[in-house]
Amino acid sequence: MSEAKEKLDGVNSRLMGLFKADKQTMMAFNGLATAATRAGKISPAIKELTAVAIAAAKGCEDCIVYHAAAAKKHGASREELAEMLAVTVEMAGGPGAVYAAKALEIFDQLT
């Protein structure tokens, strides 16, 4: 099992723990996430790539793992991610570059 897959399993496990502790809030959050990433004029893949870029800019590795997996599930390509991560670097500078590199590595591991 890849390191990224193990990290994804950990993220999902922690989220499930929070869901069990407070179903009402997490159901509402899930509804928000589902609505935000629904198909529309922008594809779910691009929306998830945007989430990866924001997660990298914010420095949230768990968020990177979660949204990189979702982007991949929706058919996003490595090339699309690399372009989106260029925006992360533009907007977040050096720290964004470090997390953007992590995002690309994680995406590559999620095969």
Side-chain angles (χ1 to χ4, degrees):
M1 181 182 302
S2 75
E3 183 181 343
K5 176 68 173 115
E6 288 176 15
K7 288 180 180 182
L8 179 60
D9 289 346
V11 170
N12 286 329
S13 177
R14 288 187 293 279
L15 287 173
M16 184 54 68
L18 186 56
F19 175 81
K20 288 177 181 176
D22 186 351
K23 288 181 183 169
Q24 186 175 359
T25 298
M26 292 307 290
M27 288 295 293
F29 181 73
N30 184 60
L32 171 64
T34 299
T37 58
R38 73 190 181 286
K41 298 235 183 241
I42 299 172
S43 72
I46 297 300
K47 291 177 180 186
E48 290 295 351
L49 289 174
T50 302
V52 174
I54 292 168
K58 293 290 216 171
C60 180
E61 189 169 345
D62 281 357
C63 299
I64 291 169
V65 170
Y66 185 87
H67 291 288
K72 201 160 224 184
K73 178 182 132 190
H74 288 293
S77 71
R78 185 180 199 273
E79 294 77 17
E80 289 170 322
L81 176 61
E83 285 188 31
M84 191 67 77
L85 292 173
V87 179
T88 300
V89 175
E90 173 199 5
M91 299 302 293
V98 170
Y99 280 94
K102 283 185 179 201
L104 191 59
E105 178 181 65
I106 288 165
F107 189 85
D108 287 345
Q109 289 178 8
L110 292 169
T111 55

